[in-house]
Amino acid sequence: MRPGLAPGYQGRLFGPAIHAGPCWWRVVDAAGTRQGAHPNLVMVVGQARALAMADGRAWIVASDDDAVSVTYDGTRFSVLPCGPGWPATTQRILAKHGLERSN
């Protein structure tokens, strides 16, 4: 599977329609199960972090269907593709807070 396309989603022949409302994100697992959409990226990154720590990989999909995969190799998180905007913000959140454990 190529990065940027979450399980259960299909590639687009044409670009998405212009989204007029606020952006939202959701977490998707390897089976294509979609969690509820949320407008708070930090909360969604936390959900993806937990899933990636448990399963090794999770996807975050934006309201325009752009997606990144979040992987965890036991020592660090990676976000692919990690371009500008919310993907880079996701990478920064995980780099700063991803390995912290709550007691």
Side-chain angles (χ1 to χ4, degrees), residues 61-90:
V61 180
S63 51
D64 62 2
D65 288 346
D66 279 348
V68 297
S69 67
V70 176
T71 57
Y72 180 65
D73 66 7
T75 59
R76 69 183 209 77
F77 291 92
S78 296
V79 175
L80 292 173
C82 190
W86 70 267
T89 301
T90 299

PDB file of all heavy atoms in Angstrom, residues 61-90:
ATOM      1  N   VAL A  61      -6.474  10.452   8.573  1.00  0.00           N
ATOM      2  CA  VAL A  61      -7.089  10.898   7.321  1.00  0.00           C
ATOM      3  C   VAL A  61      -7.801  12.219   7.593  1.00  0.00           C
ATOM      4  O   VAL A  61      -8.586  12.330   8.535  1.00  0.00           O
ATOM      5  CB  VAL A  61      -8.095   9.852   6.782  1.00  0.00           C
ATOM      6  CG1 VAL A  61      -8.715  10.322   5.482  1.00  0.00           C
ATOM      7  CG2 VAL A  61      -7.417   8.499   6.607  1.00  0.00           C
ATOM      8  N   ALA A  62      -7.521  13.212   6.756  1.00  0.00           N
ATOM      9  CA  ALA A  62      -8.151  14.527   6.877  1.00  0.00           C
ATOM     10  C   ALA A  62      -9.492  14.542   6.158  1.00  0.00           C
ATOM     11  O   ALA A  62      -9.822  13.628   5.388  1.00  0.00           O
ATOM     12  CB  ALA A  62      -7.227  15.600   6.293  1.00  0.00           C
ATOM     13  N   SER A  63     -10.247  15.596   6.384  1.00  0.00           N
ATOM     14  CA  SER A  63     -11.575  15.715   5.780  1.00  0.00           C
ATOM     15  C   SER A  63     -11.527  15.750   4.261  1.00  0.00           C
ATOM     16  O   SER A  63     -12.515  15.443   3.608  1.00  0.00           O
ATOM     17  CB  SER A  63     -12.301  16.948   6.323  1.00  0.00           C
ATOM     18  OG  SER A  63     -11.489  18.097   6.225  1.00  0.00           O
ATOM     19  N   ASP A  64     -10.372  16.081   3.671  1.00  0.00           N
ATOM     20  CA  ASP A  64     -10.254  16.045   2.209  1.00  0.00           C
ATOM     21  C   ASP A  64      -9.680  14.712   1.717  1.00  0.00           C
ATOM     22  O   ASP A  64      -9.297  14.586   0.557  1.00  0.00           O
ATOM     23  CB  ASP A  64      -9.419  17.215   1.698  1.00  0.00           C
ATOM     24  CG  ASP A  64      -7.982  17.190   2.212  1.00  0.00           C
ATOM     25  OD1 ASP A  64      -7.608  16.240   2.935  1.00  0.00           O
ATOM     26  OD2 ASP A  64      -7.233  18.128   1.893  1.00  0.00           O
ATOM     27  N   ASP A  65      -9.599  13.723   2.598  1.00  0.00           N
ATOM     28  CA  ASP A  65      -9.091  12.367   2.336  1.00  0.00           C
ATOM     29  C   ASP A  65      -7.575  12.288   2.187  1.00  0.00           C
ATOM     30  O   ASP A  65      -7.048  11.222   1.915  1.00  0.00           O
ATOM     31  CB  ASP A  65      -9.767  11.696   1.135  1.00  0.00           C
ATOM     32  CG  ASP A  65     -11.203  11.289   1.421  1.00  0.00           C
ATOM     33  OD1 ASP A  65     -11.594  11.289   2.613  1.00  0.00           O
ATOM     34  OD2 ASP A  65     -11.921  10.959   0.480  1.00  0.00           O
ATOM     35  N   ASP A  66      -6.840  13.399   2.373  1.00  0.00           N
ATOM     36  CA  ASP A  66      -5.389  13.296   2.452  1.00  0.00           C
ATOM     37  C   ASP A  66      -5.059  12.477   3.694  1.00  0.00           C
ATOM     38  O   ASP A  66      -5.735  12.598   4.720  1.00  0.00           O
ATOM     39  CB  ASP A  66      -4.733  14.678   2.572  1.00  0.00           C
ATOM     40  CG  ASP A  66      -4.596  15.378   1.238  1.00  0.00           C
ATOM     41  OD1 ASP A  66      -4.789  14.719   0.197  1.00  0.00           O
ATOM     42  OD2 ASP A  66      -4.286  16.577   1.237  1.00  0.00           O
ATOM     43  N   ALA A  67      -4.042  11.655   3.594  1.00  0.00           N
ATOM     44  CA  ALA A  67      -3.727  10.763   4.706  1.00  0.00           C
ATOM     45  C   ALA A  67      -2.229  10.644   4.908  1.00  0.00           C
ATOM     46  O   ALA A  67      -1.447  10.836   3.975  1.00  0.00           O
ATOM     47  CB  ALA A  67      -4.313   9.375   4.443  1.00  0.00           C
ATOM     48  N   VAL A  68      -1.851  10.331   6.141  1.00  0.00           N
ATOM     49  CA  VAL A  68      -0.476   9.982   6.470  1.00  0.00           C
ATOM     50  C   VAL A  68      -0.511   8.689   7.259  1.00  0.00           C
ATOM     51  O   VAL A  68      -1.489   8.371   7.930  1.00  0.00           O
ATOM     52  CB  VAL A  68       0.246  11.073   7.300  1.00  0.00           C
ATOM     53  CG1 VAL A  68       0.357  12.372   6.521  1.00  0.00           C
ATOM     54  CG2 VAL A  68      -0.424  11.304   8.639  1.00  0.00           C
ATOM     55  N   SER A  69       0.561   7.915   7.145  1.00  0.00           N
ATOM     56  CA  SER A  69       0.690   6.748   8.012  1.00  0.00           C
ATOM     57  C   SER A  69       1.589   7.127   9.167  1.00  0.00           C
ATOM     58  O   SER A  69       2.554   7.875   9.014  1.00  0.00           O
ATOM     59  CB  SER A  69       1.249   5.545   7.249  1.00  0.00           C
ATOM     60  OG  SER A  69       2.582   5.788   6.861  1.00  0.00           O
ATOM     61  N   VAL A  70       1.239   6.648  10.339  1.00  0.00           N
ATOM     62  CA  VAL A  70       2.029   6.835  11.552  1.00  0.00           C
ATOM     63  C   VAL A  70       2.536   5.460  11.936  1.00  0.00           C
ATOM     64  O   VAL A  70       1.740   4.547  12.171  1.00  0.00           O
ATOM     65  CB  VAL A  70       1.177   7.435  12.692  1.00  0.00           C
ATOM     66  CG1 VAL A  70       1.982   7.539  13.985  1.00  0.00           C
ATOM     67  CG2 VAL A  70       0.607   8.791  12.291  1.00  0.00           C
ATOM     68  N   THR A  71       3.850   5.297  11.939  1.00  0.00           N
ATOM     69  CA  THR A  71       4.434   4.004  12.316  1.00  0.00           C
ATOM     70  C   THR A  71       5.250   4.162  13.584  1.00  0.00           C
ATOM     71  O   THR A  71       5.761   5.238  13.884  1.00  0.00           O
ATOM     72  CB  THR A  71       5.328   3.440  11.195  1.00  0.00           C
ATOM     73  OG1 THR A  71       6.351   4.372  10.884  1.00  0.00           O
ATOM     74  CG2 THR A  71       4.505   3.142   9.943  1.00  0.00           C
ATOM     75  N   TYR A  72       5.374   3.060  14.305  1.00  0.00           N
ATOM     76  CA  TYR A  72       6.163   3.020  15.533  1.00  0.00           C
ATOM     77  C   TYR A  72       7.008   1.764  15.484  1.00  0.00           C
ATOM     78  O   TYR A  72       6.490   0.666  15.306  1.00  0.00           O
ATOM     79  CB  TYR A  72       5.241   3.007  16.755  1.00  0.00           C
ATOM     80  CG  TYR A  72       5.975   2.957  18.061  1.00  0.00           C
ATOM     81  CD1 TYR A  72       6.784   4.014  18.466  1.00  0.00           C
ATOM     82  CD2 TYR A  72       5.850   1.864  18.898  1.00  0.00           C
ATOM     83  CE1 TYR A  72       7.456   3.970  19.675  1.00  0.00           C
ATOM     84  CE2 TYR A  72       6.525   1.813  20.105  1.00  0.00           C
ATOM     85  CZ  TYR A  72       7.327   2.872  20.493  1.00  0.00           C
ATOM     86  OH  TYR A  72       7.999   2.831  21.686  1.00  0.00           O
ATOM     87  N   ASP A  73       8.325   1.933  15.639  1.00  0.00           N
ATOM     88  CA  ASP A  73       9.237   0.793  15.553  1.00  0.00           C
ATOM     89  C   ASP A  73       9.771   0.344  16.913  1.00  0.00           C
ATOM     90  O   ASP A  73      10.728  -0.417  16.981  1.00  0.00           O
ATOM     91  CB  ASP A  73      10.394   1.098  14.599  1.00  0.00           C
ATOM     92  CG  ASP A  73      11.306   2.205  15.111  1.00  0.00           C
ATOM     93  OD1 ASP A  73      11.150   2.671  16.262  1.00  0.00           O
ATOM     94  OD2 ASP A  73      12.206   2.619  14.342  1.00  0.00           O
ATOM     95  N   GLY A  74       9.184   0.815  17.981  1.00  0.00           N
ATOM     96  CA  GLY A  74       9.629   0.474  19.324  1.00  0.00           C
ATOM     97  C   GLY A  74      10.523   1.533  19.941  1.00  0.00           C
ATOM     98  O   GLY A  74      10.717   1.549  21.151  1.00  0.00           O
ATOM     99  N   THR A  75      11.035   2.439  19.111  1.00  0.00           N
ATOM    100  CA  THR A  75      11.881   3.512  19.636  1.00  0.00           C
ATOM    101  C   THR A  75      11.454   4.896  19.175  1.00  0.00           C
ATOM    102  O   THR A  75      11.703   5.874  19.853  1.00  0.00           O
ATOM    103  CB  THR A  75      13.365   3.312  19.227  1.00  0.00           C
ATOM    104  OG1 THR A  75      13.451   3.293  17.805  1.00  0.00           O
ATOM    105  CG2 THR A  75      13.908   2.023  19.800  1.00  0.00           C
ATOM    106  N   ARG A  76      10.839   4.975  17.998  1.00  0.00           N
ATOM    107  CA  ARG A  76      10.423   6.286  17.499  1.00  0.00           C
ATOM    108  C   ARG A  76       9.246   6.164  16.540  1.00  0.00           C
ATOM    109  O   ARG A  76       8.971   5.092  16.013  1.00  0.00           O
ATOM    110  CB  ARG A  76      11.575   7.019  16.839  1.00  0.00           C
ATOM    111  CG  ARG A  76      12.060   6.450  15.553  1.00  0.00           C
ATOM    112  CD  ARG A  76      13.280   7.242  15.047  1.00  0.00           C
ATOM    113  NE  ARG A  76      13.433   7.264  13.621  1.00  0.00           N
ATOM    114  CZ  ARG A  76      12.754   7.985  12.751  1.00  0.00           C
ATOM    115  NH1 ARG A  76      11.817   8.778  13.140  1.00  0.00           N
ATOM    116  NH2 ARG A  76      13.001   7.934  11.462  1.00  0.00           N
ATOM    117  N   PHE A  77       8.589   7.306  16.337  1.00  0.00           N
ATOM    118  CA  PHE A  77       7.462   7.399  15.423  1.00  0.00           C
ATOM    119  C   PHE A  77       7.919   8.025  14.109  1.00  0.00           C
ATOM    120  O   PHE A  77       8.786   8.879  14.094  1.00  0.00           O
ATOM    121  CB  PHE A  77       6.357   8.286  16.016  1.00  0.00           C
ATOM    122  CG  PHE A  77       5.671   7.668  17.192  1.00  0.00           C
ATOM    123  CD1 PHE A  77       6.126   7.913  18.479  1.00  0.00           C
ATOM    124  CD2 PHE A  77       4.577   6.850  17.020  1.00  0.00           C
ATOM    125  CE1 PHE A  77       5.501   7.349  19.566  1.00  0.00           C
ATOM    126  CE2 PHE A  77       3.937   6.280  18.104  1.00  0.00           C
ATOM    127  CZ  PHE A  77       4.399   6.532  19.383  1.00  0.00           C
ATOM    128  N   SER A  78       7.289   7.604  13.020  1.00  0.00           N
ATOM    129  CA  SER A  78       7.513   8.208  11.710  1.00  0.00           C
ATOM    130  C   SER A  78       6.163   8.543  11.099  1.00  0.00           C
ATOM    131  O   SER A  78       5.195   7.799  11.265  1.00  0.00           O
ATOM    132  CB  SER A  78       8.248   7.242  10.780  1.00  0.00           C
ATOM    133  OG  SER A  78       9.524   6.958  11.278  1.00  0.00           O
ATOM    134  N   VAL A  79       6.123   9.660  10.400  1.00  0.00           N
ATOM    135  CA  VAL A  79       4.914  10.107   9.706  1.00  0.00           C
ATOM    136  C   VAL A  79       5.265  10.215   8.226  1.00  0.00           C
ATOM    137  O   VAL A  79       6.196  10.924   7.859  1.00  0.00           O
ATOM    138  CB  VAL A  79       4.429  11.466  10.248  1.00  0.00           C
ATOM    139  CG1 VAL A  79       3.238  11.978   9.449  1.00  0.00           C
ATOM    140  CG2 VAL A  79       4.084  11.364  11.728  1.00  0.00           C
ATOM    141  N   LEU A  80       4.533   9.482   7.392  1.00  0.00           N
ATOM    142  CA  LEU A  80       4.789   9.491   5.945  1.00  0.00           C
ATOM    143  C   LEU A  80       3.489   9.657   5.180  1.00  0.00           C
ATOM    144  O   LEU A  80       2.522   8.974   5.511  1.00  0.00           O
ATOM    145  CB  LEU A  80       5.456   8.191   5.507  1.00  0.00           C
ATOM    146  CG  LEU A  80       6.879   7.975   6.010  1.00  0.00           C
ATOM    147  CD1 LEU A  80       7.333   6.584   5.644  1.00  0.00           C
ATOM    148  CD2 LEU A  80       7.814   9.007   5.435  1.00  0.00           C
ATOM    149  N   PRO A  81       3.420  10.442   4.145  1.00  0.00           N
ATOM    150  CA  PRO A  81       4.415  11.434   3.771  1.00  0.00           C
ATOM    151  C   PRO A  81       4.358  12.589   4.768  1.00  0.00           C
ATOM    152  O   PRO A  81       3.302  12.885   5.320  1.00  0.00           O
ATOM    153  CB  PRO A  81       3.997  11.866   2.383  1.00  0.00           C
ATOM    154  CG  PRO A  81       2.527  11.615   2.317  1.00  0.00           C
ATOM    155  CD  PRO A  81       2.262  10.444   3.231  1.00  0.00           C
ATOM    156  N   CYS A  82       5.469  13.222   4.980  1.00  0.00           N
ATOM    157  CA  CYS A  82       5.549  14.289   5.980  1.00  0.00           C
ATOM    158  C   CYS A  82       5.824  15.617   5.308  1.00  0.00           C
ATOM    159  O   CYS A  82       6.914  16.173   5.412  1.00  0.00           O
ATOM    160  CB  CYS A  82       6.607  13.975   7.033  1.00  0.00           C
ATOM    161  SG  CYS A  82       6.507  15.127   8.417  1.00  0.00           S
ATOM    162  N   GLY A  83       4.836  16.104   4.574  1.00  0.00           N
ATOM    163  CA  GLY A  83       4.963  17.392   3.916  1.00  0.00           C
ATOM    164  C   GLY A  83       4.556  18.521   4.847  1.00  0.00           C
ATOM    165  O   GLY A  83       4.292  18.304   6.029  1.00  0.00           O
ATOM    166  N   PRO A  84       4.475  19.737   4.333  1.00  0.00           N
ATOM    167  CA  PRO A  84       4.093  20.884   5.157  1.00  0.00           C
ATOM    168  C   PRO A  84       2.635  20.788   5.600  1.00  0.00           C
ATOM    169  O   PRO A  84       1.852  20.013   5.057  1.00  0.00           O
ATOM    170  CB  PRO A  84       4.312  22.074   4.224  1.00  0.00           C
ATOM    171  CG  PRO A  84       4.262  21.513   2.848  1.00  0.00           C
ATOM    172  CD  PRO A  84       4.745  20.097   2.946  1.00  0.00           C
ATOM    173  N   GLY A  85       2.290  21.580   6.585  1.00  0.00           N
ATOM    174  CA  GLY A  85       0.916  21.616   7.082  1.00  0.00           C
ATOM    175  C   GLY A  85       0.705  20.621   8.202  1.00  0.00           C
ATOM    176  O   GLY A  85       1.594  20.379   9.021  1.00  0.00           O
ATOM    177  N   TRP A  86      -0.475  20.030   8.240  1.00  0.00           N
ATOM    178  CA  TRP A  86      -0.812  19.161   9.366  1.00  0.00           C
ATOM    179  C   TRP A  86       0.060  17.909   9.445  1.00  0.00           C
ATOM    180  O   TRP A  86       0.315  17.435  10.553  1.00  0.00           O
ATOM    181  CB  TRP A  86      -2.315  18.842   9.387  1.00  0.00           C
ATOM    182  CG  TRP A  86      -2.809  17.953   8.291  1.00  0.00           C
ATOM    183  CD1 TRP A  86      -3.327  18.335   7.104  1.00  0.00           C
ATOM    184  CD2 TRP A  86      -2.842  16.527   8.301  1.00  0.00           C
ATOM    185  NE1 TRP A  86      -3.673  17.233   6.364  1.00  0.00           N
ATOM    186  CE2 TRP A  86      -3.397  16.104   7.079  1.00  0.00           C
ATOM    187  CE3 TRP A  86      -2.465  15.565   9.217  1.00  0.00           C
ATOM    188  CZ2 TRP A  86      -3.575  14.771   6.749  1.00  0.00           C
ATOM    189  CZ3 TRP A  86      -2.652  14.226   8.898  1.00  0.00           C
ATOM    190  CH2 TRP A  86      -3.193  13.854   7.682  1.00  0.00           C
ATOM    191  N   PRO A  87       0.583  17.338   8.335  1.00  0.00           N
ATOM    192  CA  PRO A  87       1.492  16.204   8.491  1.00  0.00           C
ATOM    193  C   PRO A  87       2.761  16.579   9.263  1.00  0.00           C
ATOM    194  O   PRO A  87       3.215  15.833  10.137  1.00  0.00           O
ATOM    195  CB  PRO A  87       1.806  15.783   7.057  1.00  0.00           C
ATOM    196  CG  PRO A  87       0.587  16.190   6.274  1.00  0.00           C
ATOM    197  CD  PRO A  87       0.212  17.507   6.903  1.00  0.00           C
ATOM    198  N   ALA A  88       3.340  17.741   8.970  1.00  0.00           N
ATOM    199  CA  ALA A  88       4.533  18.185   9.700  1.00  0.00           C
ATOM    200  C   ALA A  88       4.197  18.467  11.164  1.00  0.00           C
ATOM    201  O   ALA A  88       4.993  18.166  12.063  1.00  0.00           O
ATOM    202  CB  ALA A  88       5.124  19.418   9.035  1.00  0.00           C
ATOM    203  N   THR A  89       3.018  19.015  11.413  1.00  0.00           N
ATOM    204  CA  THR A  89       2.583  19.244  12.792  1.00  0.00           C
ATOM    205  C   THR A  89       2.437  17.922  13.525  1.00  0.00           C
ATOM    206  O   THR A  89       2.843  17.790  14.684  1.00  0.00           O
ATOM    207  CB  THR A  89       1.252  20.026  12.808  1.00  0.00           C
ATOM    208  OG1 THR A  89       1.437  21.270  12.145  1.00  0.00           O
ATOM    209  CG2 THR A  89       0.768  20.261  14.227  1.00  0.00           C
ATOM    210  N   THR A  90       1.901  16.922  12.857  1.00  0.00           N
ATOM    211  CA  THR A  90       1.772  15.588  13.454  1.00  0.00           C
ATOM    212  C   THR A  90       3.140  15.035  13.830  1.00  0.00           C
ATOM    213  O   THR A  90       3.329  14.515  14.930  1.00  0.00           O
ATOM    214  CB  THR A  90       1.053  14.638  12.468  1.00  0.00           C
ATOM    215  OG1 THR A  90      -0.259  15.159  12.206  1.00  0.00           O
ATOM    216  CG2 THR A  90       0.949  13.233  13.017  1.00  0.00           C
TER     217      THR A  90
END
